[in-house]
PDB file of all heavy atoms in Angstrom:
ATOM      1  N   ALA A 433       5.920 -21.283 -16.543  1.00 95.00           N
ATOM      2  CA  ALA A 433       4.661 -21.619 -17.212  1.00 95.00           C
ATOM      3  C   ALA A 433       4.374 -20.660 -18.368  1.00 95.00           C
ATOM      4  O   ALA A 433       3.513 -20.933 -19.202  1.00 95.00           O
ATOM      5  CB  ALA A 433       3.502 -21.592 -16.213  1.00 95.00           C
ATOM      6  N   GLY A 434       5.090 -19.544 -18.411  1.00 96.00           N
ATOM      7  CA  GLY A 434       4.872 -18.577 -19.483  1.00 96.00           C
ATOM      8  C   GLY A 434       3.597 -17.779 -19.256  1.00 96.00           C
ATOM      9  O   GLY A 434       3.017 -17.780 -18.171  1.00 96.00           O
ATOM     10  N   SER A 435       3.159 -17.130 -20.295  1.00 96.00           N
ATOM     11  CA  SER A 435       1.963 -16.292 -20.205  1.00 96.00           C
ATOM     12  C   SER A 435       0.727 -17.145 -19.922  1.00 96.00           C
ATOM     13  O   SER A 435       0.535 -18.201 -20.519  1.00 96.00           O
ATOM     14  CB  SER A 435       1.749 -15.511 -21.500  1.00 96.00           C
ATOM     15  OG  SER A 435       0.561 -14.754 -21.397  1.00 96.00           O
ATOM     16  N   LEU A 436      -0.101 -16.663 -18.994  1.00 97.00           N
ATOM     17  CA  LEU A 436      -1.332 -17.376 -18.652  1.00 97.00           C
ATOM     18  C   LEU A 436      -2.552 -16.768 -19.333  1.00 97.00           C
ATOM     19  O   LEU A 436      -3.675 -17.176 -19.074  1.00 97.00           O
ATOM     20  CB  LEU A 436      -1.533 -17.377 -17.132  1.00 97.00           C
ATOM     21  CG  LEU A 436      -0.432 -18.064 -16.333  1.00 97.00           C
ATOM     22  CD1 LEU A 436      -0.781 -18.082 -14.850  1.00 97.00           C
ATOM     23  CD2 LEU A 436      -0.176 -19.475 -16.836  1.00 97.00           C
ATOM     24  N   TRP A 437      -2.313 -15.787 -20.207  1.00 97.00           N
ATOM     25  CA  TRP A 437      -3.412 -15.113 -20.906  1.00 97.00           C
ATOM     26  C   TRP A 437      -3.087 -15.014 -22.394  1.00 97.00           C
ATOM     27  O   TRP A 437      -1.996 -14.617 -22.763  1.00 97.00           O
ATOM     28  CB  TRP A 437      -3.626 -13.714 -20.346  1.00 97.00           C
ATOM     29  CG  TRP A 437      -4.213 -13.747 -18.972  1.00 97.00           C
ATOM     30  CD1 TRP A 437      -3.540 -13.815 -17.793  1.00 97.00           C
ATOM     31  CD2 TRP A 437      -5.591 -13.752 -18.649  1.00 97.00           C
ATOM     32  NE1 TRP A 437      -4.422 -13.849 -16.748  1.00 97.00           N
ATOM     33  CE2 TRP A 437      -5.694 -13.809 -17.239  1.00 97.00           C
ATOM     34  CE3 TRP A 437      -6.765 -13.697 -19.400  1.00 97.00           C
ATOM     35  CZ2 TRP A 437      -6.919 -13.830 -16.579  1.00 97.00           C
ATOM     36  CZ3 TRP A 437      -7.983 -13.710 -18.743  1.00 97.00           C
ATOM     37  CH2 TRP A 437      -8.050 -13.780 -17.352  1.00 97.00           C
ATOM     38  N   LYS A 438      -4.055 -15.349 -23.216  1.00 97.00           N
ATOM     39  CA  LYS A 438      -3.944 -15.165 -24.659  1.00 97.00           C
ATOM     40  C   LYS A 438      -4.423 -13.762 -25.005  1.00 97.00           C
ATOM     41  O   LYS A 438      -5.286 -13.204 -24.335  1.00 97.00           O
ATOM     42  CB  LYS A 438      -4.794 -16.194 -25.413  1.00 97.00           C
ATOM     43  CG  LYS A 438      -4.387 -17.629 -25.144  1.00 97.00           C
ATOM     44  CD  LYS A 438      -3.059 -17.921 -25.783  1.00 97.00           C
ATOM     45  CE  LYS A 438      -2.705 -19.381 -25.584  1.00 97.00           C
ATOM     46  NZ  LYS A 438      -1.300 -19.611 -25.658  1.00 97.00           N
ATOM     47  N   ARG A 439      -3.890 -13.221 -26.068  1.00 97.00           N
ATOM     48  CA  ARG A 439      -4.253 -11.866 -26.487  1.00 97.00           C
ATOM     49  C   ARG A 439      -5.759 -11.710 -26.637  1.00 97.00           C
ATOM     50  O   ARG A 439      -6.354 -10.748 -26.145  1.00 97.00           O
ATOM     51  CB  ARG A 439      -3.554 -11.499 -27.802  1.00 97.00           C
ATOM     52  CG  ARG A 439      -3.828 -10.060 -28.239  1.00 97.00           C
ATOM     53  CD  ARG A 439      -3.762  -9.869 -29.744  1.00 97.00           C
ATOM     54  NE  ARG A 439      -4.607 -10.764 -30.496  1.00 97.00           N
ATOM     55  CZ  ARG A 439      -5.925 -10.601 -30.669  1.00 97.00           C
ATOM     56  NH1 ARG A 439      -6.549  -9.590 -30.135  1.00 97.00           N
ATOM     57  NH2 ARG A 439      -6.614 -11.459 -31.388  1.00 97.00           N
ATOM     58  N   GLY A 440      -6.399 -12.632 -27.304  1.00 96.00           N
ATOM     59  CA  GLY A 440      -7.839 -12.540 -27.546  1.00 96.00           C
ATOM     60  C   GLY A 440      -8.657 -12.571 -26.263  1.00 96.00           C
ATOM     61  O   GLY A 440      -9.653 -11.853 -26.135  1.00 96.00           O
ATOM     62  N   THR A 441      -8.243 -13.394 -25.318  1.00 96.00           N
ATOM     63  CA  THR A 441      -8.962 -13.471 -24.047  1.00 96.00           C
ATOM     64  C   THR A 441      -8.778 -12.179 -23.258  1.00 96.00           C
ATOM     65  O   THR A 441      -9.731 -11.676 -22.647  1.00 96.00           O
ATOM     66  CB  THR A 441      -8.481 -14.686 -23.219  1.00 96.00           C
ATOM     67  OG1 THR A 441      -8.579 -15.866 -24.026  1.00 96.00           O
ATOM     68  CG2 THR A 441      -9.322 -14.856 -21.968  1.00 96.00           C
ATOM     69  N   LEU A 442      -7.568 -11.632 -23.270  1.00 97.00           N
ATOM     70  CA  LEU A 442      -7.342 -10.339 -22.617  1.00 97.00           C
ATOM     71  C   LEU A 442      -8.217  -9.262 -23.233  1.00 97.00           C
ATOM     72  O   LEU A 442      -8.834  -8.465 -22.525  1.00 97.00           O
ATOM     73  CB  LEU A 442      -5.871  -9.919 -22.732  1.00 97.00           C
ATOM     74  CG  LEU A 442      -4.897 -10.499 -21.736  1.00 97.00           C
ATOM     75  CD1 LEU A 442      -3.470 -10.082 -22.097  1.00 97.00           C
ATOM     76  CD2 LEU A 442      -5.245 -10.082 -20.326  1.00 97.00           C
ATOM     77  N   GLU A 443      -8.264  -9.239 -24.549  1.00 97.00           N
ATOM     78  CA  GLU A 443      -9.082  -8.234 -25.232  1.00 97.00           C
ATOM     79  C   GLU A 443     -10.553  -8.396 -24.851  1.00 97.00           C
ATOM     80  O   GLU A 443     -11.237  -7.410 -24.562  1.00 97.00           O
ATOM     81  CB  GLU A 443      -8.897  -8.341 -26.744  1.00 97.00           C
ATOM     82  CG  GLU A 443      -9.589  -7.239 -27.498  1.00 97.00           C
ATOM     83  CD  GLU A 443      -9.235  -7.214 -28.987  1.00 97.00           C
ATOM     84  OE1 GLU A 443      -8.375  -7.992 -29.427  1.00 97.00           O
ATOM     85  OE2 GLU A 443      -9.843  -6.392 -29.686  1.00 97.00           O
ATOM     86  N   ASN A 444     -11.037  -9.628 -24.840  1.00 96.00           N
ATOM     87  CA  ASN A 444     -12.428  -9.863 -24.428  1.00 96.00           C
ATOM     88  C   ASN A 444     -12.665  -9.389 -23.005  1.00 96.00           C
ATOM     89  O   ASN A 444     -13.668  -8.734 -22.716  1.00 96.00           O
ATOM     90  CB  ASN A 444     -12.788 -11.344 -24.554  1.00 96.00           C
ATOM     91  CG  ASN A 444     -13.000 -11.777 -25.982  1.00 96.00           C
ATOM     92  OD1 ASN A 444     -13.229 -10.949 -26.873  1.00 96.00           O
ATOM     93  ND2 ASN A 444     -12.905 -13.072 -26.226  1.00 96.00           N
ATOM     94  N   LEU A 445     -11.749  -9.728 -22.095  1.00 96.00           N
ATOM     95  CA  LEU A 445     -11.901  -9.329 -20.700  1.00 96.00           C
ATOM     96  C   LEU A 445     -11.960  -7.809 -20.578  1.00 96.00           C
ATOM     97  O   LEU A 445     -12.845  -7.260 -19.915  1.00 96.00           O
ATOM     98  CB  LEU A 445     -10.744  -9.881 -19.863  1.00 96.00           C
ATOM     99  CG  LEU A 445     -10.698  -9.454 -18.400  1.00 96.00           C
ATOM    100  CD1 LEU A 445     -11.959  -9.897 -17.656  1.00 96.00           C
ATOM    101  CD2 LEU A 445      -9.461 -10.011 -17.723  1.00 96.00           C
ATOM    102  N   LEU A 446     -11.046  -7.111 -21.227  1.00 96.00           N
ATOM    103  CA  LEU A 446     -10.999  -5.658 -21.115  1.00 96.00           C
ATOM    104  C   LEU A 446     -12.196  -4.979 -21.769  1.00 96.00           C
ATOM    105  O   LEU A 446     -12.588  -3.890 -21.370  1.00 96.00           O
ATOM    106  CB  LEU A 446      -9.699  -5.103 -21.693  1.00 96.00           C
ATOM    107  CG  LEU A 446      -8.548  -5.030 -20.687  1.00 96.00           C
ATOM    108  CD1 LEU A 446      -8.107  -6.370 -20.194  1.00 96.00           C
ATOM    109  CD2 LEU A 446      -7.394  -4.248 -21.253  1.00 96.00           C
ATOM    110  N   LYS A 447     -12.796  -5.647 -22.732  1.00 94.00           N
ATOM    111  CA  LYS A 447     -13.969  -5.075 -23.413  1.00 94.00           C
ATOM    112  C   LYS A 447     -15.280  -5.496 -22.750  1.00 94.00           C
ATOM    113  O   LYS A 447     -16.354  -5.143 -23.223  1.00 94.00           O
ATOM    114  CB  LYS A 447     -13.962  -5.471 -24.890  1.00 94.00           C
ATOM    115  CG  LYS A 447     -12.849  -4.772 -25.654  1.00 94.00           C
ATOM    116  CD  LYS A 447     -12.871  -5.120 -27.118  1.00 94.00           C
ATOM    117  CE  LYS A 447     -11.793  -4.322 -27.857  1.00 94.00           C
ATOM    118  NZ  LYS A 447     -11.766  -4.633 -29.284  1.00 94.00           N
ATOM    119  N   GLY A 448     -15.194  -6.279 -21.668  1.00 90.00           N
ATOM    120  CA  GLY A 448     -16.395  -6.672 -20.945  1.00 90.00           C
ATOM    121  C   GLY A 448     -17.143  -7.847 -21.531  1.00 90.00           C
ATOM    122  O   GLY A 448     -18.282  -8.110 -21.154  1.00 90.00           O
ATOM    123  N   VAL A 449     -16.505  -8.567 -22.455  1.00 90.00           N
ATOM    124  CA  VAL A 449     -17.113  -9.770 -23.021  1.00 90.00           C
ATOM    125  C   VAL A 449     -16.975 -10.891 -21.986  1.00 90.00           C
ATOM    126  O   VAL A 449     -15.967 -10.979 -21.284  1.00 90.00           O
ATOM    127  CB  VAL A 449     -16.417 -10.157 -24.346  1.00 90.00           C
ATOM    128  CG1 VAL A 449     -16.955 -11.477 -24.889  1.00 90.00           C
ATOM    129  CG2 VAL A 449     -16.568  -9.040 -25.368  1.00 90.00           C
ATOM    130  N   ALA A 450     -17.984 -11.735 -21.877  1.00 87.00           N
ATOM    131  CA  ALA A 450     -17.970 -12.814 -20.885  1.00 87.00           C
ATOM    132  C   ALA A 450     -16.774 -13.740 -21.084  1.00 87.00           C
ATOM    133  O   ALA A 450     -16.512 -14.205 -22.186  1.00 87.00           O
ATOM    134  CB  ALA A 450     -19.259 -13.622 -20.956  1.00 87.00           C
ATOM    135  N   VAL A 451     -16.037 -13.960 -20.010  1.00 91.00           N
ATOM    136  CA  VAL A 451     -14.931 -14.916 -19.991  1.00 91.00           C
ATOM    137  C   VAL A 451     -15.062 -15.755 -18.722  1.00 91.00           C
ATOM    138  O   VAL A 451     -15.799 -15.392 -17.808  1.00 91.00           O
ATOM    139  CB  VAL A 451     -13.547 -14.217 -20.022  1.00 91.00           C
ATOM    140  CG1 VAL A 451     -13.362 -13.412 -21.301  1.00 91.00           C
ATOM    141  CG2 VAL A 451     -13.347 -13.341 -18.815  1.00 91.00           C
ATOM    142  N   LYS A 452     -14.328 -16.848 -18.673  1.00 93.00           N
ATOM    143  CA  LYS A 452     -14.340 -17.683 -17.472  1.00 93.00           C
ATOM    144  C   LYS A 452     -13.678 -16.931 -16.322  1.00 93.00           C
ATOM    145  O   LYS A 452     -12.710 -16.199 -16.540  1.00 93.00           O
ATOM    146  CB  LYS A 452     -13.598 -18.991 -17.722  1.00 93.00           C
ATOM    147  CG  LYS A 452     -14.287 -19.886 -18.713  1.00 93.00           C
ATOM    148  CD  LYS A 452     -13.492 -21.148 -18.960  1.00 93.00           C
ATOM    149  CE  LYS A 452     -14.193 -21.962 -20.046  1.00 93.00           C
ATOM    150  NZ  LYS A 452     -13.406 -23.110 -20.445  1.00 93.00           N
ATOM    151  N   PRO A 453     -14.165 -17.126 -15.101  1.00 94.00           N
ATOM    152  CA  PRO A 453     -13.501 -16.487 -13.957  1.00 94.00           C
ATOM    153  C   PRO A 453     -12.049 -16.940 -13.872  1.00 94.00           C
ATOM    154  O   PRO A 453     -11.741 -18.121 -14.023  1.00 94.00           O
ATOM    155  CB  PRO A 453     -14.292 -16.994 -12.748  1.00 94.00           C
ATOM    156  CG  PRO A 453     -15.614 -17.401 -13.292  1.00 94.00           C
ATOM    157  CD  PRO A 453     -15.344 -17.888 -14.693  1.00 94.00           C
ATOM    158  N   PRO A 454     -11.127 -16.011 -13.651  1.00 96.00           N
ATOM    159  CA  PRO A 454      -9.707 -16.367 -13.601  1.00 96.00           C
ATOM    160  C   PRO A 454      -9.350 -17.160 -12.344  1.00 96.00           C
ATOM    161  O   PRO A 454      -9.961 -16.979 -11.289  1.00 96.00           O
ATOM    162  CB  PRO A 454      -8.990 -15.020 -13.590  1.00 96.00           C
ATOM    163  CG  PRO A 454     -10.019 -13.958 -13.634  1.00 96.00           C
ATOM    164  CD  PRO A 454     -11.360 -14.587 -13.574  1.00 96.00           C
ATOM    165  N   THR A 455      -8.343 -17.987 -12.475  1.00 96.00           N
ATOM    166  CA  THR A 455      -7.789 -18.725 -11.349  1.00 96.00           C
ATOM    167  C   THR A 455      -6.833 -17.804 -10.588  1.00 96.00           C
ATOM    168  O   THR A 455      -6.466 -16.735 -11.079  1.00 96.00           O
ATOM    169  CB  THR A 455      -7.002 -19.950 -11.836  1.00 96.00           C
ATOM    170  OG1 THR A 455      -5.901 -19.487 -12.634  1.00 96.00           O
ATOM    171  CG2 THR A 455      -7.885 -20.897 -12.645  1.00 96.00           C
ATOM    172  N   TYR A 456      -6.389 -18.253  -9.412  1.00 96.00           N
ATOM    173  CA  TYR A 456      -5.429 -17.447  -8.649  1.00 96.00           C
ATOM    174  C   TYR A 456      -4.160 -17.163  -9.460  1.00 96.00           C
ATOM    175  O   TYR A 456      -3.728 -16.013  -9.532  1.00 96.00           O
ATOM    176  CB  TYR A 456      -5.093 -18.107  -7.308  1.00 96.00           C
ATOM    177  CG  TYR A 456      -4.050 -17.322  -6.560  1.00 96.00           C
ATOM    178  CD1 TYR A 456      -4.408 -16.203  -5.805  1.00 96.00           C
ATOM    179  CD2 TYR A 456      -2.702 -17.660  -6.638  1.00 96.00           C
ATOM    180  CE1 TYR A 456      -3.446 -15.451  -5.145  1.00 96.00           C
ATOM    181  CE2 TYR A 456      -1.742 -16.912  -5.981  1.00 96.00           C
ATOM    182  CZ  TYR A 456      -2.116 -15.811  -5.238  1.00 96.00           C
ATOM    183  OH  TYR A 456      -1.162 -15.064  -4.593  1.00 96.00           O
ATOM    184  N   PRO A 457      -3.539 -18.177 -10.093  1.00 97.00           N
ATOM    185  CA  PRO A 457      -2.342 -17.866 -10.892  1.00 97.00           C
ATOM    186  C   PRO A 457      -2.629 -16.869 -12.019  1.00 97.00           C
ATOM    187  O   PRO A 457      -1.793 -16.028 -12.329  1.00 97.00           O
ATOM    188  CB  PRO A 457      -1.904 -19.224 -11.446  1.00 97.00           C
ATOM    189  CG  PRO A 457      -2.446 -20.214 -10.470  1.00 97.00           C
ATOM    190  CD  PRO A 457      -3.757 -19.628 -10.006  1.00 97.00           C
ATOM    191  N   GLN A 458      -3.813 -16.947 -12.623  1.00 98.00           N
ATOM    192  CA  GLN A 458      -4.162 -15.993 -13.678  1.00 98.00           C
ATOM    193  C   GLN A 458      -4.314 -14.579 -13.110  1.00 98.00           C
ATOM    194  O   GLN A 458      -3.938 -13.606 -13.759  1.00 98.00           O
ATOM    195  CB  GLN A 458      -5.441 -16.417 -14.393  1.00 98.00           C
ATOM    196  CG  GLN A 458      -5.258 -17.632 -15.288  1.00 98.00           C
ATOM    197  CD  GLN A 458      -6.564 -18.096 -15.879  1.00 98.00           C
ATOM    198  OE1 GLN A 458      -7.563 -18.234 -15.196  1.00 98.00           O
ATOM    199  NE2 GLN A 458      -6.543 -18.335 -17.188  1.00 98.00           N
ATOM    200  N   LEU A 459      -4.868 -14.463 -11.895  1.00 97.00           N
ATOM    201  CA  LEU A 459      -4.977 -13.148 -11.263  1.00 97.00           C
ATOM    202  C   LEU A 459      -3.594 -12.595 -10.938  1.00 97.00           C
ATOM    203  O   LEU A 459      -3.321 -11.406 -11.138  1.00 97.00           O
ATOM    204  CB  LEU A 459      -5.828 -13.228  -9.993  1.00 97.00           C
ATOM    205  CG  LEU A 459      -7.316 -13.490 -10.200  1.00 97.00           C
ATOM    206  CD1 LEU A 459      -8.011 -13.656  -8.855  1.00 97.00           C
ATOM    207  CD2 LEU A 459      -7.963 -12.377 -11.009  1.00 97.00           C
TER     208      LEU A 459
END
């Protein structure tokens, strides 16, 4: 399936910006 995270979404998550709750495969 390849990467389940886009760079921008990862950056938002790490900076505490609101993102959708991750699914089990994303975790």
Side-chain angles (χ1 to χ4, degrees):
S435 178
L436 299 184
W437 289 88
K438 299 290 184 204
R439 184 208 54 80
T441 307
L442 278 174
E443 186 171 355
N444 285 341
L445 175 60
L446 272 64
K447 290 182 176 180
V449 175
V451 298
K452 293 178 184 173
T455 62
Y456 177 82
Q458 288 175 313
L459 291 175

